[in-house]
Structures are given as structure tokens and as C-alpha cells.
């Protein structure tokens, strides 16, 4: 077989397309897809040859097969999240309970009454599906579900404060990450941010001085992902709501994560619940559906009915409405909250956050033996570690956990080797995502529940 080792010997797209095995691919996948893949294989080949490599026709055809396989593989795939961050935004945040998955599949398959009133036979309200449960669980009068909490905040500000002023403490002008910055959101919502107090201290007098005839509402933002310590002061919710109401203004809290249950009763750190926020006098509270709540990506606005109705009437709301699959999942998740005893077993987010460190450590010992057989050159130890909640919820509090620490003590500079090792785990059938810290690759096992699947998946390391 002729060796292809110079740019001149690279076959044309046509020649490659007309080989019998590539023609077979064309009959299966169509000429457009196969031509694209042939072109991209040839571009790659040129680079490889210039880098001194060589190939032959059979290997080239094989590359076309592989390229097509790669293109047809779904690009969003399940992974093992062993990063130690339970609600990892880049890894899709909350894992959903089985009941929510069933509900999603159920409505995804065919028509549903997402916006149809079965009683009257007329058009219905999609926001009603989750509203009753949200109200029951939070004590709110009314609620509205949108695509995410960023949308909830944008919408609330746009509908209630456009062309007006919104005083916010300087200590709460947060950036959540992924370009969600409070001052930018305010600008996009069409309102004027009035900065109040200083970074570390804001008091009641600051707020009173900031209120004018142009003020639309007072807003408090949960400082989700950081903590200011030392000489600090902020105005409690109750005081802010009193100041707002004395001026006939609504008081809004962006809770960020927004939990529906008292986390302390599950031995987790304290976090203000949505119902606490409403009890302290908030007229509206906004929060995420896929952070501590443990549901699908969504944002919830809960509180006073007249304000919710005003927001509902806005065309912006139409642009941020959730789909039937999300609503079905959210409703199923909210249902679990009606039985707080079963909640910690059935809601994956809470189950993972409250997982017994001893159980995680036992799992680590079992897996270290299995993994050692695949990674003869590595030193694998079981280490105590601390997981994070993630997604800006409870940023400082860490949960005791156990991890596999995988190191190559024989290599003095092991950075590249570690990156290669991490990469080989990422190329498994189900990619395994850990984190590199210091001179080792770490797998925090808090979020690994499918031990059998994980072990089977490791087979891929042989290749
Ligand atoms: C996470 C967060 C948001 C954004 O919520 P998404 O659901 O990610 O859109 C907004 N505000 C605060 C305080 C947050 O913590």
C-alpha cells in the first residue's frame, strides 16, 4: 500500500469519496455529512504530514469512519462529577430525582395540557402548574416560573422599576460568574442603580437618604459566592422592608440559591429559606430552580399577587417562559418537598449534600483497589477532603468527604503527566471529571452513586 508522507501524495476529496467503503458511508449518512468529514480529515492530514507523520489509504478511510462517529455522537453526554462541587454549573447543576425524570419523559413524548384548561376547554396558564405548590411551600400569594434566576431578576426589575431608581447596598453589587453582574443587569432592565453605603458597611440612614421620588423599589441581593468579614454592617431584611413600606415601595430580595427547607435540620449550614425571606417582609423573592432546590434549570419569582400579575402581563415574560418539560420536572421536584422526611432520600441534591462521610470513605477504599490495577505506575491513596455545595450557595461552608488522590511520585515534574492522566479519564465512554490540585489528580467521591457503572466504565482505560 502506498505511503502518504508528502503533501503531494494527499488524495483529493473526490478520490477519497469514491472509494467503495466511503461510498457505503454516503449511502448511510448522506453526501453532505460525509463530504464534510472527508474534508476535515484531509485538512488534519495535511497538518500531520507537515509535522512529519505519514499514513496510508486504509488508515485514512478509517479516520473518515471515526470522524463521522465523532460528529454523530451526542455532544451533551452524561459524565461522572468527581470535582467535589455538588452543584457544578459547568456540569449541569442539580441531578434530578426519578419522579421528575418520569414526568419529563411523559410530557416530552406527545401533546400535553401545558397551556390548556381541561375544565373549560379554553386556553390555560402555563404558570399555574407549579404555582400552587410554590405558594404552599413558601407562603407566597402567587408565583411565576421563568427560564432561570437571571431572567427572574431581569424581569422583576424591568417590570417594576424601568426608568426609575433602585437603591442597592454597595456590598451586594455582586458578580455571579458567566457575566451576571448586578450593575449590568440593572442597566439592561432599564433601571438606574443607586449605590448605597460602602463595600463593607451599609446602614439604615444610607438607605433612607437614597430614596427619592424616582425610587421604584428597594432591593437586597444575596451575596451568594463570597463573604465579607471583619468591620461590616448590613441592614437586616426586616428593617429594609420597613423602610420600603414606609415609602410605599416594594421590597425585593434576590435570594440566589433559595432553599425551601431549613437546611440545619439536615445538619447542613444555615441558609435563609424563601419563606423566611417572605416573612421578613419581602414583597417578591427571586431564586433558582437548579441550585439548592434541586430541580431543573428555572427561575422562580414568588410573593405578592398584584406584582406577579403585573410581571405576567409583560411581553418580556413571554420571551422567558419555561417549556413543558421543565415545568413537569419542577412540579415533580416540588411534590417531594411536601414530605420532608423522604426528601433527603429522593432528592439527589439533598441526598448528596447530606451523604455520610464514612460511606464515602468506604467507597473510596473499594475503588482505590480497582483503580490501582489499571494505573500501575500511580500511587493511589484515600484522603479526607472537603466538598463544596457549588453554584454560589454556601460558599464558605465545606462538607467533609473522601477522595482518591492519584499521584506519580516517580516523576519530578508531573504536571503534564497529570493533565494527560486527567484527559484519559475524560475520554472514557462516560467521561470522569476530577480536579488537579498540587501534584495529584483528585476524585472526590461524594457525587458517585453508581459504583457498578463506574467500575465497568474503567475498562476503557485499557485502551
Ligand atoms: C445564581 C444566582 C443568580 C443567577 O441564577 P441562575 O439561575 O443561574 O440564572 C442570580 N442571583 C444570585 C444572588 C445568584 O446566586
Amino acid at each position: 500500500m502506498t505511503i502518504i508522507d508528502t503533501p503531494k501524495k494527499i488524495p483529493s476529496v473526490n478520490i477519497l469519496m469514491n472509494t467503495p467503503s466511503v461510498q457505503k458511508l454516503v449511502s448511510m449518512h448522506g453526501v453532505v455529512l460525509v463530504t464534510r468529514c472527508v474534508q476535515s480529515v484531509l485538512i488534519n492530514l495535511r497538518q500531520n504530514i507537515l509535522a512529519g507523520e505519514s499514513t496510508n489509504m486504509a488508515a485514512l478511510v478509517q479516520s473518515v469512519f471515526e470522524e463521522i462517529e465523532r460528529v454523530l455522537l451526542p455532544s451533551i453526554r452524561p459524565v461522572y462529577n468527581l470535582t467535589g462541587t455538588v452543584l457544578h454549573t459547568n456540569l449541569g447543576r442539580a441531578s434530578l430525582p426519578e419522579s421528575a425524570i418520569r414526568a419529563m419523559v411523559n410530557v416530552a413524548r406527545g401533546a400535553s395540557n401545558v397551556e390548556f384548561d381541561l375544565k373549560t376547554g379554553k386556553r390555560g396558564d402555563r404558570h399555574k402548574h407549579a404555582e400552587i405548590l410554590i405558594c404552599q411551600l413558601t407562603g407566597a400569594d402567587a408565583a411565576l416560573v421563568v427560564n432561570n434566576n437571571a431572567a427572574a431578576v431581569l424581569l422583576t426589575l424591568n417590570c417594576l422599576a424601568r426608568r426609575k431608581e433602585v437603591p442597592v447596598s454597595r456590598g451586594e453589587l455582586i458578580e455571579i460568574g458567566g457575566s451576571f453582574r448586578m450593575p449590568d443587569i440593572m442597566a439592561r432592565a432599564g433601571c438606574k442603580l443607586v449605590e448605597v453605603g460602602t463595600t463593607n458597611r451599609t446602614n439604615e440612614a444610607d438607605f433612607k437618604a437614597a430614596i427619592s421620588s424616582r425610587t421604584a423599589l428597594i432591593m437586597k441581593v444575596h451575596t451568594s459566592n463570597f463573604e465579607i468579614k471583619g468591620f461590616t454592617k448590613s441592614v437586616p431584611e426586616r428593617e429594609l422592608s420597613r423602610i420600603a413600606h414606609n415609602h410605599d415601595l416594594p421590597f425585593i430580595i434576590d435570594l440566589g440559591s433559595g432553599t425551601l427547607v431549613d437546611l440545619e435540620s439536615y445538619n447542613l449550614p444555615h441558609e435563609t429559606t424563601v419563606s423566611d425571606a417572605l416573612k421578613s417582609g419581602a414583597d417578591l423573592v427571586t431564586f433558582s430552580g437548579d441550585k439548592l432546590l434541586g430541580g431543573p434549570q428555572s427561575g422562580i419569582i414568588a410573593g405578592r399577587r398584584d406584582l406577579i400579575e403585573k410581571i405576567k402581563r409583560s411581553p418580556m415574560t413571554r420571551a422567558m417562559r419555561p417549556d413543558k418539560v421543565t415545568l413537569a420536572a419542577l412540579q415533580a421536584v416540588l411534590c417531594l418537598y411536601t414530605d420532608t422526611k423522604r426528601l433527603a432520600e429522593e432528592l439527589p441534591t439533598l441526598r448528596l449534600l447530606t451523604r455520610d462521610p464514612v460511606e464515602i470513605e468506604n467507597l473510596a477504599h473499594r475503588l482505590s483497589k480497582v483503580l490501582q490495577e489499571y494505573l500501575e505506575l500511580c500511587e493511589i491513596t484515600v484522603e479526607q477532603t472537603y466538598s463544596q455545595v457549588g453554584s454560589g450557595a454556601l460558599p464558605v461552608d465545606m462538607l467533609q468527604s473522601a477522595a482518591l488522590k492519584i499521584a506519580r511520585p516517580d516523576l519530578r515534574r508531573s504536571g503534564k503527566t497529570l493533565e494527560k492522566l486527567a484527559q484519559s479519564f475524560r475520554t472514557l465512554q462516560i467521561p470522569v471529571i476530577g480536579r488537579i490540585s498540587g501534584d495529584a489528580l483528585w476524585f472526590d467521591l461524594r457525587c458517585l452513586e453508581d459504583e457498578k457503572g463506574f467500575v465497568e466504565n474503567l475498562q476503557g482505560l485499557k485502551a
Side-chain angles (χ1 to χ4, degrees), residues 93 148-150 174 176 180 221-222 224 254 256-257 288 290-291:
R93 289 198 187 156
N148 48 46
N149 188 34
I174 53 165
I176 298 295
F180 183 91
V221 184
H222 192 297
S224 299
D254 173 20
S257 200
S288 284
D290 56 351
K291 291 186 182 172

Side-chain angles (χ1 to χ4, degrees), residues 80-82 84 86 95 263 266-269 343-345 347-367 385-389 398-403 443-452 454:
Y80 286 110
N81 171 13
L82 306 190
V86 177
S95 303
L263 292 179
Y266 297 93
N267 286 324
L268 290 167
L343 190 64
E345 282 161 45
L347 189 73
T349 299
L350 201 54
R351 185 171 68 228
L352 294 173
L353 289 175
T354 56
R355 199 167 174 193
D356 180 4
V358 176
E359 184 195 319
I360 306 173
E361 194 182 328
N362 291 338
L363 172 63
H365 282 291
R366 289 197 298 278
L367 288 180
T385 186
Y386 289 89
S387 321
Q388 294 188 355
V389 178
M398 305 284 245
L399 311 163
Q400 192 193 320
S401 183
F443 288 154
D444 182 330
L445 298 178
R446 171 176 298 275
C447 295
L448 179 62
E449 294 191 295
D450 173 23
E451 181 177 357
K452 189 163 162 276
F454 182 79

Side-chain angles (χ1 to χ4, degrees), residues 89 93 147-153 172 174-177 180 182 185 219-225 254-258 286-291 297-300 391-393:
T89 300
R93 289 198 187 156
N147 281 334
N148 48 46
N149 188 34
V153 173
E172 296 172 4
I174 53 165
E175 172 178 322
I176 298 295
F180 183 91
M182 218 49 196
I185 294 282
M219 182 163 194
K220 185 169 180 71
V221 184
H222 192 297
T223 53
S224 299
N225 48 8
D254 173 20
L255 261 191
S257 200
T286 63
F287 54 102
S288 284
D290 56 351
K291 291 186 182 172
Q297 182 191 302
S298 50
I300 299 167
S391 287

Side-chain angles (χ1 to χ4, degrees), residues 221-408:
V221 184
H222 192 297
T223 53
S224 299
N225 48 8
F226 69 99
E227 213 173 82
I228 299 182
K229 287 197 166 160
F231 186 52
T232 65
K233 182 172 173 27
S234 65
V235 188
E237 283 89 342
R238 222 167 256 291
E239 285 311 309
L240 276 179
S241 89
R242 203 175 45 78
I243 296 170
H245 296 155
N246 279 346
H247 289 84
D248 244 349
L249 300 171
F251 172 47
I252 312 288
I253 302 180
D254 173 20
L255 261 191
S257 200
T259 173
L260 299 180
V261 287
D262 172 18
L263 292 179
E264 278 168 305
S265 68
Y266 297 93
N267 286 324
L268 290 167
H270 174 78
E271 175 75 21
T272 308
T273 65
V274 177
S275 95
D276 289 341
L278 289 167
K279 274 197 207 113
S280 72
D283 297 284
L284 288 181
V285 176
T286 63
F287 54 102
S288 284
D290 56 351
K291 291 186 182 172
L292 282 171
L293 195 145
Q297 182 191 302
S298 50
I300 299 167
I301 311 172
R304 246 168 67 188
R305 175 156 301 280
D306 59 325
L307 299 178
I308 294 282
E309 289 302 328
K310 191 168 176 192
I311 295 172
K312 257 191 197 173
R313 284 194 297 272
S314 158
M316 286 271 270
T317 305
R318 170 65 178 76
M320 295 172 190
R321 74 178 185 191
D323 77 313
K324 61 190 176 184
V325 178
T326 301
L327 288 169
L330 182 60
Q331 193 174 35
V333 167
L334 293 171
C335 261
L336 292 182
Y337 277 89
T338 57
D339 182 350
T340 45
K341 273 200 220 80
R342 273 177 44 204
L343 190 64
E345 282 161 45
E346 295 188 19
L347 189 73
T349 299
L350 201 54
R351 185 171 68 228
L352 294 173
L353 289 175
T354 56
R355 199 167 174 193
D356 180 4
V358 176
E359 184 195 319
I360 306 173
E361 194 182 328
N362 291 338
L363 172 63
H365 282 291
R366 289 197 298 278
L367 288 180
S368 76
K369 292 199 192 85
V370 180
L371 209 51
Q372 190 69 72
E373 285 173 25
Y374 288 98
L375 307 175
E376 284 165 358
L377 295 173
C378 295
E379 182 183 277
I380 303 178
T381 51
V382 173
E383 304 282 339
Q384 184 178 319
T385 186
Y386 289 89
S387 321
Q388 294 188 355
V389 178
S391 287
L394 309 166
V396 186
D397 299 293
M398 305 284 245
L399 311 163
Q400 192 193 320
S401 183
L404 295 173
K405 181 182 174 198
I406 308 172
R408 284 290 301 268

